[in-house]
Amino acid sequence: MALLSIRNVFKSYFLHGKRIDVLRGVSLDIERGSLVSMIGASGAGKSTFLHVLGTLDAPAAGEVFFDGRSVFAMNDAEIAEFRNHSIGFVFQSHYLLPEFTALENVAMPALIQRRDRGGAYTYARELLERVGLGARVDHRPGELSGGEAQRVALARALVLKPALLLADEPTGNLDPTTGEGIHQLLREVNRDLGITAVVVTHNETLARSMPRRLRLAGGQVSEA
Amino acid sequence: MHPAERQTVYRWSFIWTGALVALVGAILLGVAITESAAWAETAGALGLSLVGWGGLVQAVDALALVPERAAAALPIAGPRMLIAGVLVWLGGWGLVAAGIRRRPASSEGPSPAAGAPLYPRLARYRDFYWSTLGAYGGGILLAELVLILLQTFLSSGGPSPELGGASRASSGGGLALAPTVAFAIALCSASLVAFISGFVGASRAQRLSLPEATIGVVYLGIPVPVILTLMERIPSLQLALGYRLREVTYVAGLIGRPELAYWLVFTALVLALVLGINTGFIAAGSGRVDLKLGFELFVARRHVAVFRPSLLLGTLAVLMFGIIPPLLVYFIIRGAEAAVERTRVRALGMADPLAAAAAQNHMKQHEQSPTMMMTALSVGGVGVGVMALIIVLSVMSGFEADLQQKILGTNAHAVVNKYASEMPEYAKVMEQIRKVPGVVGETPFIINQVMIASEGNVDGVVIKGIDPATVGEVTDLPQNILPGGDLAHLEHPDRILPRRGLDDDGAPPKDEELDPIIGTPAKGKAQPTLPGIIIGRELAASLRVVVGDRVNVVSPLGTELGPTGPIPKSRAYRVAGIFYSGMYEYDSKFVYILLKEAQDFFNVKGATGIELKVADIDDARRISNQVVKVLGGYPYRARDWGEMNKNLFSALRLEKLVMGIILSIIIVVAAGLIVATVIMLVLEKRKEISVLKALGVPDGGIVKIFLAEGLQIGVAGGLLGLFSGLSWCVFIEKVGIKLDPEVYYIPALPVRIEPVQTALAVVIAVLVTYLASIYPALKASSVEPVEGLKAE
Ligand SMILES: Nc1ncnc2c1ncn2[C@@H]1O[C@H](COP(=O)(O)OP(=O)(O)O)[C@@H](O)[C@H]1O
Ligand SMILES: [Mg+2]
């Protein structure tokens, strides 16, 4: 069974009384352990699609099954737990919490679970070392460069070993070299930890390096 | 985000106009009722109409009274006014109704999603559940009933003095606790009931369910206080319920205005319900009932950081010394610091520009955000409120304690007497009373009203026959006698030194006999040994007498028949001592003579009654009930000091309560600041809320974070207020603030710090801040994850 099954998902925005149909009946399966890239023009609805996959946004119609379970049939508490346990997000901006150090930011998902703080910090430190930031654990987000912050965000997304990693243009704000580094990390994560990843990107060459490629256009998703 | 959700369109101009028109109609109706002076008849139904029960009550009432009322015309004088009022009222509501419309159906065709399964949205808060309504409404009603029943059960039991033996039969099984203790227990239990109902309701529904809460409170909660309030006004209600609710009305009556008490208690119960709802929602919002705050506090502390020494000390300084002096100090320090820093950076810049840049950066980071300023302001606001509450209430308690001490110094804690008769058997009664636990002293007395005359003046006073041997057990009279007099001289009037001229100072007291040479009584010298009398200092001043002077006591209810009818009985006494209690009332209106003298003078057998002193004055009511029980009830009765001075103390308590309410307004204003602060925080942290939600913090967790932020402000403000309030109280007590003795009869501002009341001030502040942050916290939790993530 596929890890993710998307069935007939519709999503529209309403602006000044006009309906903008962004997703028009998307149906798709994503296998466990796969590494999927998604490309599409700016404004095609890639972020919207990813938000729906990650339960951050609700579709107007349609269903998303995770491990055979309809995610939008869950109640608020279950959805929160689902986001915490099963999904890791990386966004275009790092979206780290400014009052907390890199270490605390990475440990945050574990702290939300009320895990023991010491254990969470130990693992978070390990992860930070793994993304090459062992010397930056006590920096606040404001004291990190863009690439560093993005790597901290990636570590945060991985701290609870989620089944699914959703990355929305994680390299959009970075220079090509740094971006390639992040993509390298993503590939490693997929290979070493077996985490299923969906990576939205602008960069065609980067997208081509992924085993499976999707294209979003006209509200529909097709294999590219 | 779901435009299909809202099916109605509101035209607010219609609705507001309609509301105004309806209000005018209501005013017209009111005028019509006032003109025909029909408030008394309509008040009950109108009161209930406010919560929608009026119609029902009227219908029942009308059905019951149809035969009698058939002939009676309506007593309304101005029917035209009445009809106009009703028409305007109804018209207004018609307008309101016209302002609410159904949205017209969309003209668009079917969407591409037609036929796809609709995403099932859960627990929208416009939904309405009867079970939740039952939980909330039933909860508040149950809480009220628990309060009333517990109060009645706990405090009844012993025969109440007014009803004598009659009530003993009816109040089987009561616990006979002191009414205030019973009330504390009953209120706590009822609040707990309300809290639990709210908690269960909200955690079952997994949402706040505000419509249900409002309807439940209005329809099931308000009627009880309304009925209690109306009970005073409507005789039939009083007849039906008055006796059964006497314990409830007694406690409420302790502050003089029972209505105020009913509504305050009701508010407290609603508060408990709201707290329960809120806690239940938060607890269930994270899936399971989880009241721990670990992670949320971790986040909240980074957001507001109230407990920084600089903020706490600064606010404390403002509370203690006012705004200006600390601000001056602050600016001086900051100015000096900035000057030093700037010179240092400039010097650094000469040598190492990089180091200078770092130092400059460091200085910039020191600047405070507006939210920080708001936080400090809110903490200060709460602190000021708590401080004012503590100081004012402590001073008022000081006055009350002073008054109580003076009243109880002169008066007994309780008085036992018989309905309309004397007590010849007082010695036996005293023997019995002695065995009652809690009674620590007793003394018999006779009381009467007389005129007292000296050569200089005349005054009406209360005269008391006392037993000098035991009076000290009960009152402070022996200690209050000023030097020069002696209580013991009442028994031995021959020892009183009569006043003499300055020249024959030191002459032996034997000189008091007839002048052996002239053979006629010389003024103030050659009188027979007169019985002694003790008078108050103010009375002595107005009579212009001192110890040893002679005064005449005249009883207007004389029993001696003279040629022209009954003539007032008159007797001469010699002033044996002057007392000073500190209460003008007593020092000018009380005189004491020997019990024997009084028996003789007023023709009383035994005593009028027995005065008691009890170990714990707050327990006086229960002990005096106990005494009556031991004596076998009727015809004996006992009244405690609170009852005897009911008006005075209930006025004091009411004053304190009103003062407390007024001062709490400061805290409520501060709570407004807290609302603003937390809303600012929410706006500032929108993006972070979204991120936290994406990381898997449930709605309840977000609510907890922002509640914790508000609570930090409340706790910090409350503690600062507590500290500064207590400091001020100690200052007033130790250093003293002089009062004009002519006006206050007390030399300095009295202070008495009551722990319960002080703790209550802090608890109220924390509670109010908690309530104030509920709304912003809920707002925070309703931020959708995508909202913050797209804001870039
Ligand atoms: N909240 C919104 N309200 C109205 N339109 C929106 C909103 N969010 C996104 N859109 C529109 O939906 C479309 C898809 O947006 P998005 O998913 O962010 O595109 P992408 O990530 O592919 O660049 C865009 O045309 C955008 O203008
Ligand atoms: Mg995008």
Side-chain angles (χ1 to χ4, degrees), chain A residues 46-47 92 168-169:
Chain A
K46 305 180 297 291
S47 298
Q92 190 166 359
D168 187 2
E169 302 192 36

Side-chain angles (χ1 to χ4, degrees), chain B residues 449-582:
Chain B
Q449 306 209 345
V450 292
M451 306 277 286
I452 188 163
S454 69
E455 279 167 22
N457 218 336
V458 150
D459 218 335
V461 294
V462 173
I463 192 166
K464 235 169 151 181
I466 55 167
D467 172 18
T470 54
V471 72
E473 290 177 17
V474 176
T475 69
D476 295 339
L477 184 62
Q479 291 93 283
N480 286 345
I481 305 278
L482 294 174
D486 196 339
L487 190 64
H489 288 175
L490 280 184
E491 299 261 32
H492 308 283
D494 50 311
R495 292 194 201 146
I496 306 171
L497 289 173
R499 182 148 72 124
R500 5 199 41 200
L502 286 169
D503 40 36
D504 37 20
D505 233 359
K510 274 192 198 116
D511 277 2
E512 248 177 80
E513 260 120 296
L514 289 184
D515 190 311
I517 301 163
I518 311 168
T520 51
K523 210 166 213 324
K525 225 179 187 183
Q527 289 156 338
T529 309
L530 294 174
I533 189 169
I534 307 249
I535 68 175
R537 193 178 83 167
E538 301 300 325
L539 184 65
S542 97
L543 292 177
R544 290 193 284 280
V545 295
V546 295
V547 173
D549 277 345
R550 175 193 156 124
V551 291
N552 276 317
V553 171
V554 183
S555 170
L557 299 169
T559 45
E560 287 163 12
L561 271 177
T564 54
I567 52 165
K569 214 176 195 178
S570 166
R571 277 201 190 174
Y573 291 89
R574 195 173 294 286
V575 176
I578 292 175
F579 72 91
Y580 173 64
S581 69

Side-chain angles (χ1 to χ4, degrees), chain A residues 13-15 20 22 41-49 168-169, chain B residues 790:
Chain A
Y13 290 108
F14 293 85
L15 206 63
I20 307 163
V22 180
S42 176
K46 305 180 297 291
S47 298
T48 307
F49 180 67
D168 187 2
E169 302 192 36
Chain B
K790 278 191 177 163

Side-chain angles (χ1 to χ4, degrees), chain A residues 8 10 13-14 17 19 21 48 51 56-63 72-77 80-81 83-84 89 91 93 95 97-101 104 108-109 111-112 114 117 121 140 143 156, chain B residues 3 108 111-113 116-120 122 206 284-288 290 292-296 298-299 302-303 365 685 687-688 691-699 704 785-786 788-790 792:
Chain A
N8 215 17
F10 287 83
Y13 290 108
F14 293 85
R19 199 177 73 212
D21 294 323
T48 307
H51 289 154
L56 297 186
D57 209 349
E63 285 185 276
F72 292 109
M74 295 192 272
N75 66 25
D76 289 348
E81 195 164 320
R83 286 176 193 152
N84 185 244
F89 286 103
F91 304 100
S93 298
Y95 288 127
L97 303 177
E99 283 99 351
F100 297 88
T101 63
E104 287 164 341
M108 197 62 76
L111 298 184
I112 290 171
R114 301 180 187 289
R117 206 169 281 186
Y121 285 162
R140 301 260 167 120
E143 299 152 358
R156 177 176 70 182
Chain B
E108 285 175 46
S111 76
L118 179 69
Y119 152 56
L122 285 152
Q206 301 223 343
S286 43
R288 56 198 176 274
D290 174 12
K292 279 197 301 263
L293 258 186
F295 159 73
E296 288 82 0
F298 176 58
V299 175
R302 291 289 170 86
H303 280 180
Q365 279 185 345
K685 306 287 179 201
K687 208 164 77 186
E688 285 162 52
V691 174
L692 284 171
K693 282 195 161 186
L695 294 181
V697 177
D699 285 7
K704 274 190 206 169
V786 276
L789 297 179
K790 278 191 177 163
E792 209 157 307

Side-chain angles (χ1 to χ4, degrees), chain B residues 294-323:
Chain B
F295 159 73
E296 288 82 0
L297 207 60
F298 176 58
V299 175
R301 264 214 294 272
R302 291 289 170 86
H303 280 180
V304 278
V306 164
F307 294 99
R308 282 170 302 156
S310 60
L311 193 148
L312 291 184
L313 286 177
T315 319
L316 189 64
V318 169
L319 289 182
M320 297 296 295
F321 307 112
I323 291 188

